[in-house]
Amino acid sequence: VQLQASGGGLVQTGGSLRLSCAISGRTDSVYQMAWFRQTPRKGRLFVAAIRRRSESTDYADSVKGRFTISIDNAANMLYLHLTSLKTEDTAAYYCAASRAGAFYYTGSYDYWGQGTQVTVSS
């Protein structure tokens, strides 16, 4: 499975962005997908997850109500819609795919895309 993330950029506080992740390869083995974000100070942290078939979702408390994760299985695309952005949302965002395991744990994810940088300015 290969993942290709895109859509990051520079945005002002309160603004919005949509991140995309193109999925290719043996996708039938993927159970859930997620977005994580990473900064030098905090490391890589869970943001949101979605199960491929049921499309049930989970979110980190820090983004609940502001970010929305979605998946288009027909197009093999994963999305993260970021709204009401804050400076503390500044990070490199990574998409990931998992065959099993806890949704919030980086070790559950078998495949990772490259990061896409989101920078929120005040």
Side-chain angles (χ1 to χ4, degrees):
V1 175
Q2 294 81 45
L3 305 174
Q4 180 76 34
S6 61
L10 175 64
V11 63
Q12 289 190 324
T13 301
S16 300
L17 277 176
R18 190 180 77 160
L19 306 183
S20 301
C21 179
I23 312 158
S24 60
R26 291 285 303 272
T27 60
D28 55 328
S29 65
V30 173
Y31 164 66
Q32 67 189 351
M33 299 199 66
W35 291 94
F36 287 76
R37 63 187 181 186
Q38 182 169 335
T39 62
R41 191 167 68 91
K42 294 185 178 180
R44 191 168 294 193
L45 299 176
F46 169 74
V47 175
I50 187 167
R51 262 55 72 185
R52 276 192 66 231
R53 286 173 174 76
S54 69
E55 299 190 23
S56 61
T57 58
D58 291 283
Y59 293 92
D61 287 344
S62 59
V63 307
K64 207 171 286 184
R66 300 189 299 120
F67 291 8
T68 303
I69 188 171
S70 61
I71 192 165
D72 183 340
N73 284 307
N76 283 330
M77 293 293 296
L78 176 73
Y79 301 102
L80 186 68
H81 189 203
L82 298 74
T83 65
S84 301
L85 281 162
K86 306 175 182 180
T87 55
E88 51 264 43
D89 295 318
T90 295
Y93 284 72
Y94 294 83
C95 56
S98 168
R99 292 173 291 178
F103 62 85
Y104 51 83
Y105 177 46
T106 56
S108 297
Y109 292 84
D110 308 285
Y111 310 101
W112 293 84
Q114 89 293 359
T116 185
Q117 180 68 34
V118 172
T119 302
V120 184
S121 65
S122 58

